[in-house]
Amino acid sequence: MGLRRTRAVVALAGAAVLTAALGACGGDDSGDGGGKTLNVLIGANTQYPAEQQAWQKSISEKFKAQTGAEVKFETFASASDELTKIQTSVVAGSGPDVYAIGTTLTPTAYSTKAFVTLGDEEWKKIGGREKFVPSSLGISGPDEKNQIGIPWVGRPFVMVYNTELLKAAGIDKPATTWDELTAQAKQLTKGDQYGLAVAYKDNFDPWKFIWGMSVQAGNPIVDGKTARITDPATKKAYQTFFGWIGTDKVVDPAAVGWTNSQALAAFAKGKTGYFALTSALAAKALDDGAVKGKWAFTLLPTVPPGATTRPANGVEAASILSGDNLLVADYSKNKDLAFQFVKLITDQEAQLDIYKALGQLPANAAAAQTLTADPKLKAVVEAQGKSVATPFSGAWADVQLALTNAVVQSIPDLAGGSMTDAKIDERLAAAQKAAQSSLDRVK
């Protein structure tokens, strides 16, 4: 979640207060969709726009054949658009019947009380909880009895490595610990060749490294109502993340200004050992680059920095739980049709169709299982199964922003090669204060 999205989340959290009293309005339909239109809001796919339009047309035709109802898709181009649409719709009590939102936005949407809480009847309508990859349900609600999010597609994070460069360096298998990754990156760095590609200036990437390393070390970042950003485990995570470019010098100095797409492009040129945070969506760009036939996905390390094994309280967090959830608006007058549509696009056939069209991983367990036959995707599917949800808290957006700000504020120091422990302590103290303040507000 980037800065713009986070600002919008804060705005939506305010709207939640206004909408808390908003009850359901309008009656339900009979399930017969003849002459009706179902409105669906999803994110615009800027990477594959033509393919997305083709998928929308295909799924609309199938839905009309099943129910007689039309589907009208509305897309949002940014996180701000997405949140504004939710805000205006829940306040007005009208708008899309079905929303496809990012998983980390689910706690904020939950706080509006404007979406259908899924009981046994609703789960039965869409085929039951058991049809989904178990981990994909990890951020559907605060607990199993209060879920609003139905898993649709997943985007688990992995890393990609250059098989040819690792072989040439005498490395027979990719790293499984963060210390091993740093050591291999040093082996791979020589001349204009670097061990790692990292997107330091990306609005979405840095906090994911810090959160993952911290959770693996046993620090959840948010412990109940308490922020733990100044915990030694989290400081070690920042030291490791900054150290790759500052002291280890295994990253191209230009990476201090890279976004994720720029880091991917650098890796695709064939002069980098690892790209440390990516997803299956990168496959097409990799096959279009100089690394075609020379790359493979593997899990991000799951052993924290400074250790050879996870501590007893550490969590095997291979990735944050990432993807999109489907929500049915409580104000919808077409709830039965909405659940029929949700069932259709979460069934095995449709899940494989959207994977083929847009590269989005299935949340449907049977569909995901079929992808394990593709050696390139085995690690991605494994990462999906080992994904861990971020805290289900209305304050999480601010905590995430605080983690990111510690990196943003350090960019000038990293560019000048002057990052010190004292500066890390100073920024973590500020992040701790901001995160705790937000957690206190949601008490």
Side-chain angles (χ1 to χ4, degrees), residues 83-304:
L83 290 158
T84 298
K85 185 63 181 178
I86 294 174
Q87 180 178 345
T88 56
S89 295
V90 299
V91 169
S94 64
D97 300 288
V98 178
Y99 292 72
I101 68 168
T103 49
T104 59
L105 184 59
T106 304
T108 304
Y110 180 84
S111 71
T112 69
K113 302 185 186 301
F115 298 94
V116 175
T117 299
L118 304 164
D120 291 343
E121 181 182 351
E122 286 77 21
W123 282 111
K124 185 177 179 182
K125 287 180 180 178
I126 58 174
R129 288 186 177 88
E130 60 276 11
K131 89 173 189 180
F132 299 98
V133 175
S135 64
S136 67
L137 293 158
I139 200 164
S140 291
D143 55 62
E144 191 170 300
K145 293 184 178 179
N146 292 283
Q147 294 174 321
I148 62 168
I150 302 159
W152 179 32
V153 292
R155 289 184 293 276
F157 294 100
V158 292
M159 60 182 180
V160 60
Y161 64 97
N162 186 314
T163 56
E164 190 174 78
L165 293 187
L166 263 64
K167 183 178 180 181
I171 299 169
D172 58 4
K173 63 182 181 61
T176 58
T177 75
W178 290 106
D179 285 0
E180 190 179 13
L181 179 63
T182 301
Q184 289 190 6
K186 289 179 179 177
Q187 282 182 253
L188 290 158
T189 301
K190 57 182 179 181
D192 63 349
Q193 177 179 305
Y194 290 94
L196 274 171
V198 180
Y200 283 95
K201 204 171 184 176
D202 192 88
N203 282 337
F204 299 87
D205 283 11
W207 73 265
K208 298 185 178 83
F209 284 101
I210 304 305
W211 178 83
M213 293 177 186
S214 298
V215 169
Q216 291 163 8
N219 179 31
I221 298 285
V222 172
D223 186 2
K225 298 291 186 181
T226 303
R228 291 176 49 176
I229 294 178
T230 51
D231 187 280
T234 301
K235 180 178 178 180
K236 182 67 175 177
Y238 276 100
Q239 288 173 321
T240 301
F241 183 71
F242 291 146
W244 289 330
I245 193 168
T247 56
D248 301 318
K249 301 190 184 305
V250 295
V251 177
D252 188 331
V256 74
W258 284 352
T259 62
N260 184 282
S261 60
Q262 289 173 303
L264 172 62
F267 177 87
K269 291 178 181 176
K271 293 267 183 132
T272 309
Y274 287 92
F275 175 27
L277 190 80
T278 189
S279 72
L281 298 177
K284 186 175 185 303
L286 294 169
D287 281 337
D288 287 343
V291 295
K292 183 177 181 179
K294 305 174 185 176
W295 63 270
F297 288 130
T298 189
L299 291 180
L300 284 156
T302 55
V303 175

Side-chain angles (χ1 to χ4, degrees), residues 256-388:
V256 74
W258 284 352
T259 62
N260 184 282
S261 60
Q262 289 173 303
L264 172 62
F267 177 87
K269 291 178 181 176
K271 293 267 183 132
T272 309
Y274 287 92
F275 175 27
L277 190 80
T278 189
S279 72
L281 298 177
K284 186 175 185 303
L286 294 169
D287 281 337
D288 287 343
V291 295
K292 183 177 181 179
K294 305 174 185 176
W295 63 270
F297 288 130
T298 189
L299 291 180
L300 284 156
T302 55
V303 175
T308 54
T309 58
R310 273 189 310 282
N313 61 340
V315 177
E316 189 184 15
S319 168
I320 66 163
L321 183 54
S322 177
D324 291 335
N325 279 335
L326 299 168
L327 280 59
V328 175
D330 206 24
Y331 58 69
S332 172
K333 296 180 180 178
N334 298 307
K335 290 193 186 73
D336 280 351
L337 276 177
F339 281 108
Q340 288 180 65
F341 178 77
V342 169
K343 181 180 186 304
L344 173 63
I345 66 172
T346 56
D347 278 348
Q348 183 174 354
E349 180 181 344
Q351 289 271 281
L352 290 173
D353 284 346
I354 197 168
Y355 167 72
K356 292 171 185 171
L358 302 172
Q360 306 273 25
L361 281 188
N364 179 295
Q369 182 60 36
T370 67
L371 300 185
T372 59
D374 183 342
K376 282 187 176 180
L377 292 176
K378 187 175 180 181
V380 180
V381 175
E382 185 179 356
Q384 188 176 31
K386 293 181 177 178
S387 295
V388 175

Side-chain angles (χ1 to χ4, degrees), residues 425-441:
D425 288 338
E426 176 185 332
R427 275 148 203 164
L428 296 197
Q432 170 73 22
K433 184 177 180 181
Q436 188 59 57
S437 176
S438 182
L439 286 163
D440 290 343
R441 287 198 300 273

